[in-house]
Amino acid sequence: MLGGEWTINPGFLQNGLMHDLAKQHGALMFYTEHRYYGKSYPTQNMSSDNMQYLNVDQALADVAYFIDNRKSEYNITDSKVIVFGGSYAGNMAAWIRIKYPHLIQGSVASSAPVYAKADFYEYYEVVANSLRRHDSQCALDVENAFDETEELLVTEGGPEKIQKIFNICKTPNVNSMTDVGYFMNFLSEVFASAVQYNKVVNGMSNIGQLCDTMTSASIGKPIERLAYLIRSGPKCKDVDYKDMIKDLRMSSWSTSAMRQWYFQTCTEFGYYQTANSSKSAFGRLVNLDFFVNICKDVYGDYYERELLDSGISRTNIMYGGRLPDIKNVIFVNGDVDPWHALSVLKDVNEFSPAILIQGSSHCQDLQADSAGDVPELRTARKKIRNIVSGWLQ
């Protein structure tokens, strides 16, 4: 299992799809942590100069050396290797078959956004569509709530009302598009997280819980229902762009991975989830400039739009985007997951199938079977097990 922009833990070595397959075939399992994340500190700190060694090319090389060293250590030079990865690590699982096919016999790329893109407006299109599929009134009330919020931002006395309604610590600075964008992005992320990681617990999905609140007239107007989701007790929420930038500028090693991940998005991937689509339901104030400004404000003026576009172009040229020349990779996505819009959704060839799971969300195929799984998810896992087992024969 490949680690991505997070701290690894033993979970996948104890349970889940890879664990089940390893147990079936008597395989060794390893979980590699990505350089610069978790406890993998290759430099003294995370200064902008030191971040130059953080990129997917280097990370893939790390995995290649790890595989070669483990084969020598365990005297298993002829053993086959299957790589699993989800989300960004799903990209790596696919791309390592391109760069090091002699080391790896097959890969499972789960929820892998292999097509790098700056303005990822499709993300919130999928979020909105997932809400509509659950309850059309829910999506309409969400859209109304965001429209009401944006209207208050341009109304005299409106920002003060927003501060009170949402119980945020500071009044939004309507003269700063970065402040306004940060606030609206903060509101949108509540829905993004629920949809991306949607799961059923005790018969209720994350989306269902959100929609129950957003359609509850007893709470008040749509904007008040939105605020109900945001508020958490009497303590105000700090939603301030400058504070966020200050945190991201901290170059000492810490538990947060946001400084590292933002750097990779600014230099290699983009993936910026804007509201630049009429099919979205989350206002119109979170645009690409907002995210490019984060790159410049955190890492310096050098990290501007031109560098972003160049890095994205390089990534797609190097690894093929949605049309990689590749064999023995299974691309697995859930249609509820917003990231599927940047993944491979059609078979690349007879050796690299694409599986799109109706009603499933982000990386759920990598988990073990559970009572809340939709039937299509169980069917997909069975197909993956059969293909991987074939590779190992």
Side-chain angles (χ1 to χ4, degrees):
M1 182 68 70
L2 302 183
E5 71 279 19
W6 57 81
T7 301
I8 65 171
N9 61 59
F12 283 119
L13 302 177
Q14 299 169 342
N15 198 6
L17 178 65
M18 181 184 73
H19 175 270
D20 292 347
L21 276 162
K23 186 176 180 180
Q24 177 185 343
H25 293 280
L28 288 170
M29 290 183 295
F30 298 96
Y31 194 175
T32 59
E33 190 165 74
H34 195 296
R35 59 169 57 201
Y36 286 80
Y37 296 100
K39 301 297 182 183
S40 300
Y41 305 156
T43 56
Q44 185 176 2
N45 57 42
M46 293 187 291
S47 68
S48 293
D49 285 345
N50 283 338
M51 298 288 270
Q52 65 181 300
Y53 306 109
L54 172 57
N55 57 66
V56 70
D57 299 348
Q58 298 269 21
L60 292 174
D62 290 341
V63 177
Y65 275 100
F66 179 87
I67 291 171
D68 188 62
N69 289 336
R70 292 296 81 73
K71 281 191 166 189
S72 296
E73 178 184 351
Y74 287 91
N75 193 25
I76 51 173
T77 54
D78 294 329
S79 293
K80 294 182 178 180
V81 176
I82 307 298
V83 170
F84 295 77
S87 197
Y88 162 50
N91 292 0
M92 292 176 61
W95 294 343
I96 201 165
R97 275 286 297 159
I98 294 175
K99 293 201 73 171
Y100 305 100
H102 59 292
L103 292 176
I104 293 135
Q105 280 62 56
S107 297
V108 178
S110 173
S111 300
V114 292
Y115 181 62
K117 190 173 191 282
D119 188 352
F120 185 17
Y121 63 83
E122 297 94 337
Y123 185 95
Y124 276 113
E125 287 186 344
V126 178
V127 174
N129 190 52
S130 294
L131 297 177
R132 292 186 190 104
R133 284 168 56 181
H134 179 83
D135 183 346
S136 59
Q137 186 60 47
C138 173
L140 182 60
D141 286 341
V142 169
E143 187 168 7
N144 288 337
F146 275 80
D147 287 346
E148 290 176 45
T149 304
E150 289 193 352
E151 187 175 343
L152 278 179
L153 286 169
V154 295
T155 302
E156 185 176 356
E160 289 76 18
K161 290 181 181 178
I162 285 176
Q163 181 183 9
K164 182 177 180 180
I165 292 170
F166 290 96
N167 192 26
I168 55 178
C169 300
K170 299 177 183 177
T171 302
N173 179 7
V174 295
N175 295 317
S176 168
M177 291 310 296
T178 52
D179 272 16
V180 170
Y182 184 59
F183 174 66
M184 297 304 294
N185 189 61
F186 165 75
L187 298 182
S188 302
E189 285 180 342
V190 174
F191 299 90
S193 178
V195 171
Q196 180 171 318
Y197 298 107
N198 186 55
K199 61 181 179 180
V200 177
V201 178
N202 296 324
M204 176 64 79
S205 68
N206 297 359
I207 294 174
Q209 290 177 339
L210 274 185
C211 283
D212 279 358
T213 299
M214 287 306 303
T215 56
S216 177
S218 63
I219 296 174
K221 296 188 298 183
I223 190 174
E224 292 168 324
R225 302 169 207 169
L226 175 59
Y228 183 87
L229 291 172
I230 302 301
R231 292 193 301 261
S232 56
K235 188 176 180 180
C236 68
K237 280 191 173 292
D238 182 18
V239 188
D240 185 85
Y241 179 80
K242 291 181 180 178
D243 289 344
M244 182 265 290
I245 295 298
K246 181 180 178 181
D247 289 342
L248 289 176
R249 283 177 175 171
M250 293 179 62
S251 61
S252 59
W253 292 107
S254 64
T255 55
S256 172
M258 290 310 298
R259 176 173 171 81
Q260 302 96 299
W261 179 239
Y262 259 116
F263 183 83
Q264 288 196 265
T265 65
C266 294
T267 56
E268 297 185 279
F269 307 126
Y271 294 154
Y272 297 127
Q273 297 147 28
T274 70
N276 291 345
S277 170
S278 60
K279 297 178 183 178
S280 175
F282 305 95
R284 300 290 182 270
L285 297 180
V286 182
N287 56 34
L288 184 56
D289 286 344
F290 166 72
F291 293 103
V292 173
N293 283 331
I294 292 176
C295 295
K296 292 192 292 185
D297 289 344
V298 173
Y299 307 107
D301 290 340
Y302 174 71
Y303 295 87
E304 59 183 2
R305 177 68 186 273
E306 185 177 352
L307 179 70
L308 170 66
D309 290 341
S310 175
I312 288 170
S313 177
R314 180 189 183 277
T315 298
N316 289 328
I317 290 172
M318 287 287 292
Y319 298 108
R322 293 193 185 97
L323 295 172
D325 185 3
I326 203 169
K327 292 182 179 180
N328 286 15
V329 176
I330 310 170
F331 292 95
V332 193
N333 288 277
D335 72 338
V336 175
D337 177 22
W339 289 99
H340 85 265
L342 296 183
S343 193
V344 174
L345 305 180
K346 295 181 180 180
D347 295 352
V348 177
N349 50 54
E350 61 179 310
F351 306 103
S352 293
I355 303 172
L356 183 62
I357 309 168
Q358 302 298 312
S360 185
S361 57
H362 200 61
C363 297
Q364 284 191 322
D365 53 290
L366 295 178
Q367 306 298 325
D369 290 341
S370 68
D373 292 343
V374 294
E376 293 85 352
L377 178 55
R378 289 176 176 265
T379 300
R381 288 199 190 106
K382 183 178 179 179
K383 183 174 181 179
I384 296 167
R385 292 188 191 103
N386 289 338
I387 295 173
V388 172
S389 295
W391 291 340
L392 292 172
Q393 289 177 357

